[in-house]
Amino acid sequence: MNLANLRNIGISAHIDSGKTTLSERILFYAGRVHRLREVHGEGATMDHMDLERERGITITSAATSVDWNEATINLIDTPGHVDFTVEVERSLRVIDGAVLMLCAVGGVQAQSLTIDRQMKRYRVPRLALVNKMDRTGADPHGVTEQLREKLGCDAVMMQIPIGYEADFRGVVDLVSQRALYFDGPNGERVRTEPIPAELSAEAHEARHHMLESLSMYSDELMKVFLEEEDEVSESLIHKVAAKAVRQLKFTPVFLTSAFRNKGVQPLLDAVVRYLPSPLDARATAFSHGTQQKFLLHPDPDEPTVAMAFKIAEDPYGALTFMRIYQGRLVKGGTYFNQRTGRKERISRIVRMHADQREDIDETMAGDIVAVLGIDCVSGDTFASEYPYCTLQSIYVPEPVINMAIAPAARDGSDRLAKALSRFRREDPTFRVTNDPETGETLIAGMGELHLGIYVQRMRREFGVRVEVGRPKVNYREAPTRPAKFNVRHRKQTGGSGQYAHIIGTLGILSEDADETFLFEDNVTGGRIPKEYIPAVEKGFRRGIVKGPVAGYPVVGLQVTLDDGSFHEVDSSEMAFSICAMTAMRETFPKTKPVLLEPAMKIEIECPSHFQGTVVGNLTARRGMVTGTEILGPVARIEGEVPLAETFGYSTDLRSMTQGQGTFTMEFARYQRLPPNLAEEIIAQRKKAELAGTL
């Protein structure tokens, strides 16, 4: 394999920008498929899951490999929906270059901003592609300006359109100064013509702007440009553009209508010309122990270093997608997981084409393949030696929503457990926990669509139907004023009886206390023997597990034991423990307890013109705004909101912001529940107790 002719690229964009449609055209023009398939209909090649074809969206990233002229392109098509952003994250971690796709009408949208941050995080060089040039309202000049303003990149058009909207017929290549048309039933034949006379002036001006921008990156180009603009050669333009792109300084902009089969072939030429090969991409690793950073070399004779960036299930076992940065992978070879130290044997190596695969015996540095036979998690580093090094980990965002899940039938428990175990391995943003108070199994993810997809996959792939519901909010009970207790426990049953007597106070813990319960022993003079004191504390701790108001755990309580008495024969640890539980049950209602609810810290990002609507909705949910910040076109809103009011918020926020709003959420504190809502909760709990469901 000639690494200089290899390109590892990804296609990323806001949802519904045409990524999968573009991927289908790339496969067709490169001869990988012989018939075009559409996203809506039978489903595109790269959308190989049934759910993807039914919904017309990309859910999981898919990899393929195509040959274009003398180059080989490893291509990863990624989802656009924010719920599946981890697929974009881990794909960008392992590629060398990317195509940032934008809608000619929508321009730079919310997910475009997220992808821009991800690309900058991993320092991925990119081309920009303005797609859907055939749509009404297409404005490539406006989109290019948005790239410069919103993303802060030096975006310059390398083409201008021939016709707009329904009249879009082709593009003018500003480098070669030729008009390109796309003939044939599927635009497979590229026809080159002189620039139409009516576009001559516009093309000259656009080329002048392109050369002026590029000359900032090359003294040689600057000199030729200033002396004689028309004498700038194509090879010099390509050379300077490639260098500037690979240095993350320049973003060339190209135009397509992928659905109308126009403009795709020049994009592929640009991918090969401008995006880096594995030889150009500088990958680094951290040595074990010292954590010193060092450069990896795409040399097959060096020690092997590879990253497992994605795990998917295969009929023959776990399919692990890997990027090889150094050395080689050999079928049957053994390699060390640098996280666990375990030696893993690779039983098969396959080159992926969506869900199809081709077996190979060996692959070398720079390649992206899938392997079978190893046990790992996303982000693990593999090497031929141990200990050797680790690679920069993949950023995994925290889940923002959770829900309760249970099998609809009792015999589905084992299949549900298998499904949850598999999905956790595949997707690091999919979390599974058990609520110790309610006993519910909770699944957490990036949004309601994210979790909904997994619920459907449980039914289709594991044959288990599940019941899904909102998780119960774990309220708390807390005192609001001190109350004294003087409780005597006496029981005579023939023979030795039970006797315990305790005196003290139930008080209130300060809000900044680290604990939710504090026991203080002030007994002096041996009024209660020391061996019985722990039993008193144990009794109170048992009493706070289920409060007397509505059966929720008690927090914020301080118990002070001041005095008491005992009997030489009848007192015991059990007697003092029972006495403390009685004191808790009888005295706690005198502290005028209230219900507390969990409050979540929330941070919302949305287009600034939706700020008022979002703030108003947050207030309507009993939320409190603690701060707002305008960052260009994006508004960031910080606040607190009760957990009970957040269910369904993911969907509502997207509805309010035309799909452009995102949020993160984490537990902040417990706060007092309004009296009217507390009465409803208490009534519901009592009703449930009477029905025997608690």
Side-chain angles (χ1 to χ4, degrees):
M1 179 187 297
N2 184 354
L3 289 184
N5 290 333
L6 178 63
R7 301 291 182 273
N8 294 313
I9 71 163
I11 301 176
S12 302
H14 187 87
I15 189 170
D16 199 31
S17 294
K19 297 178 303 301
T20 304
T21 301
L22 174 67
S23 298
E24 187 75 11
R25 269 61 184 174
I26 291 174
L27 294 176
F28 180 76
Y29 297 136
R32 201 72 164 80
V33 299
H34 303 290
R35 182 171 62 89
L36 286 176
R37 292 157 54 169
E38 302 301 341
V39 173
H40 299 284
E42 62 181 317
T45 303
M46 301 295 273
D47 285 346
H48 56 84
M49 291 175 59
D50 290 340
L51 283 170
E52 291 179 315
R53 291 174 175 171
E54 289 174 14
R55 291 174 173 260
I57 61 172
T58 300
I59 293 171
T60 181
S61 58
T64 189
S65 179
V66 300
D67 293 325
W68 184 252
N69 297 330
E70 296 181 358
T72 298
I73 301 173
N74 287 329
L75 171 67
I76 300 179
D77 174 32
T78 61
H81 202 288
V82 68
D83 282 17
F84 311 110
T85 189
V86 73
E87 292 285 342
V88 183
E89 195 79 42
R90 56 189 174 189
S91 297
L92 289 173
R93 170 62 186 83
V94 298
I95 59 178
D96 299 323
V99 176
L100 173 60
M101 201 168 179
L102 305 144
C103 174
V105 179
V108 175
Q109 298 167 280
Q111 190 66 2
S112 310
L113 298 170
T114 302
I115 293 166
D116 174 65
R117 289 195 297 270
Q118 292 170 322
M119 288 180 175
K120 289 175 179 174
R121 180 181 295 133
Y122 301 115
R123 296 186 59 79
V124 179
R126 68 204 176 176
L127 313 177
L129 179 68
V130 179
N131 189 39
K132 300 194 176 184
M133 283 296 301
D134 58 308
R135 280 190 58 188
T136 302
D139 181 11
H141 300 283
V143 175
T144 303
E145 191 59 33
Q146 287 183 36
L147 280 167
R148 299 174 70 90
E149 291 180 358
K150 296 184 178 182
L151 304 188
C153 59
D154 187 9
V156 177
M157 293 175 65
M158 306 295 280
Q159 303 169 335
I160 62 170
I162 302 175
Y164 285 82
E165 303 175 346
D167 294 328
F168 179 65
R169 303 186 302 281
V171 297
V172 172
D173 181 356
L174 299 177
V175 180
S176 65
Q177 302 185 79
R178 302 286 290 176
L180 306 179
Y181 300 91
F182 306 91
D183 299 332
N186 297 304
E188 61 269 27
R189 293 195 303 273
V190 181
R191 174 166 52 91
T192 304
E193 299 283 350
I195 299 175
E198 65 273 17
L199 292 177
S200 179
E202 182 185 347
H204 183 270
E205 183 181 348
R207 177 180 164 85
H208 178 85
H209 176 64
M210 176 192 72
L211 292 174
E212 188 176 40
S213 298
L214 282 171
S215 66
M216 302 302 294
Y217 305 108
S218 168
D219 292 338
E220 181 184 1
L221 179 56
M222 173 73 80
K223 182 179 178 181
V224 178
F225 173 64
L226 293 176
E227 289 179 355
E228 188 58 59
E229 180 179 332
D230 293 335
E231 295 300 318
V232 180
S233 66
E234 292 183 34
S235 60
L236 180 57
I237 296 173
H238 293 319
K239 173 185 168 185
V240 174
K243 183 179 179 181
V245 167
R246 294 168 190 180
Q247 291 177 343
L248 307 176
K249 296 177 179 178
F250 182 67
T251 304
V253 179
F254 298 88
L255 313 175
T256 62
S257 171
F259 185 67
R260 300 297 177 192
N261 311 311
K262 300 185 189 304
V264 178
Q265 296 94 324
L267 174 69
L268 288 173
D269 292 335
V271 164
V272 175
R273 283 190 184 117
Y274 303 140
L275 293 181
S277 72
L279 295 174
D280 303 312
R282 297 173 61 84
T284 57
F286 300 92
S287 61
H288 269 285
T290 63
Q291 289 297 299
Q292 289 290 321
K293 186 182 289 189
F294 67 94
L295 196 63
L296 296 174
H297 303 283
D299 183 343
D301 297 324
E302 292 278 341
T304 299
V305 178
M307 170 175 272
F309 67 93
K310 177 179 175 176
I311 297 170
E313 285 296 318
D314 182 90
Y316 306 101
L319 191 67
T320 304
F321 288 78
M322 300 190 90
R323 163 69 193 266
I324 300 90
Y325 287 96
Q326 184 174 278
R328 65 181 75 206
L329 283 183
V330 181
K331 178 181 176 181
T334 55
Y335 303 89
F336 291 94
N337 186 323
Q338 300 293 295
R339 177 179 59 87
T340 65
R342 289 202 310 264
K343 184 186 289 187
E344 302 283 353
R345 182 179 181 273
I346 294 176
S347 59
R348 288 177 65 193
I349 304 176
V350 294
R351 195 174 299 286
M352 299 301 297
H353 172 53
D355 59 341
Q356 301 171 22
R357 59 211 63 185
E358 169 194 346
D359 279 277
I360 57 177
D361 294 328
E362 183 182 41
T363 186
M364 298 184 185
D367 208 356
I368 295 176
V369 295
V371 303
L372 289 93
I374 64 174
D375 182 23
C376 65
V377 298
S378 293
D380 278 354
T381 301
F382 283 83
S384 53
E385 304 172 9
Y386 181 81
Y388 189 63
C389 70
T390 55
L391 295 162
Q392 178 191 355
S393 61
I394 300 169
Y395 172 76
V396 179
E398 288 298 312
V400 298
I401 187 173
N402 58 22
M403 61 175 61
I405 190 169
R410 189 169 295 178
D411 61 358
S413 297
D414 289 343
R415 294 196 301 276
L416 176 61
K418 288 180 181 178
L420 294 177
S421 176
R422 170 175 157 182
F423 296 152
R424 288 172 72 178
R425 280 173 49 82
E426 288 184 5
D427 185 350
T429 60
F430 180 78
R431 311 282 175 86
V432 182
T433 57
N434 287 306
D435 190 318
E437 295 177 9
T438 65
E440 293 176 309
T441 297
L442 304 179
I443 57 175
M446 300 307 296
E448 288 165 306
L449 174 62
H450 187 209
L451 298 183
I453 290 293
Y454 279 117
V455 168
Q456 289 187 292
R457 289 184 63 188
M458 290 172 198
R459 176 172 55 83
R460 294 185 181 214
E461 298 174 26
F462 291 86
V464 55
R465 293 186 176 275
V466 296
E467 295 176 346
V468 177
R470 301 192 312 182
K472 297 174 183 176
V473 176
N474 295 321
Y475 296 100
R476 297 289 187 267
E477 300 179 16
T480 59
R481 70 182 188 187
K484 295 187 178 296
F485 60 84
N486 187 340
V487 178
R488 196 182 306 267
H489 172 66
R490 181 187 289 119
K491 188 175 183 181
Q492 198 68 40
T493 56
S496 61
Q498 294 180 12
Y499 180 87
H501 177 212
I502 56 176
I503 301 171
T505 306
L506 297 186
I508 305 168
L509 273 178
S510 61
E511 290 187 2
D512 56 354
D514 294 332
E515 301 175 89
T516 58
F517 173 80
L518 182 64
F519 179 80
E520 188 175 341
D521 172 25
N522 288 338
V523 177
T524 57
R527 301 280 295 171
I528 300 176
K530 290 294 183 183
E531 63 265 27
Y532 295 147
I533 301 298
V536 177
E537 180 178 354
K538 187 176 180 181
F540 277 108
R541 286 192 178 276
R542 284 181 175 175
I544 67 173
V545 171
K546 191 174 182 180
V549 177
Y552 291 107
V554 174
V555 297
L557 179 67
Q558 178 172 340
V559 177
T560 304
L561 182 62
D562 296 319
D563 201 358
S565 62
F566 74 104
H567 189 277
E568 289 285 354
V569 176
D570 292 345
S571 289
S572 64
E573 289 185 4
M574 184 176 70
F576 273 95
S577 181
I578 293 173
C579 186
M581 292 176 66
T582 303
M584 179 68 190
R585 183 177 63 253
E586 293 178 353
T587 310
F588 188 70
K590 299 176 183 177
T591 65
K592 298 293 182 183
V594 294
L595 284 185
L596 305 181
E597 62 177 342
M600 310 300 288
K601 179 183 177 183
I602 191 168
E603 184 175 300
I604 308 164
E605 285 192 1
C606 65
S608 53
H609 54 278
F610 291 118
Q611 179 184 351
T613 304
V614 172
V615 168
N617 179 267
L618 193 66
T619 305
R621 292 173 180 267
R622 299 192 287 120
M624 175 180 64
V625 175
T626 58
T628 59
E629 183 181 10
I630 303 297
L631 303 171
V634 177
R636 179 175 293 146
I637 303 161
E638 296 180 0
E640 289 187 1
V641 61
L643 175 63
E645 301 291 343
T646 64
F647 303 125
Y649 186 65
S650 179
T651 301
D652 291 347
L653 177 63
R654 286 173 189 150
S655 297
M656 286 184 286
T657 60
Q658 298 178 3
Q660 300 176 60
T662 60
F663 73 100
T664 58
M665 201 166 56
E666 62 182 357
F667 175 76
R669 60 191 176 87
Y670 276 95
Q671 64 183 21
R672 184 178 294 195
L673 189 67
N676 60 322
L677 295 178
E679 290 173 5
E680 291 180 16
I681 297 296
I682 294 169
Q684 290 172 7
R685 295 284 284 188
K686 289 182 177 178
K687 184 178 179 181
E689 284 182 339
L690 292 174
T693 60
L694 287 179

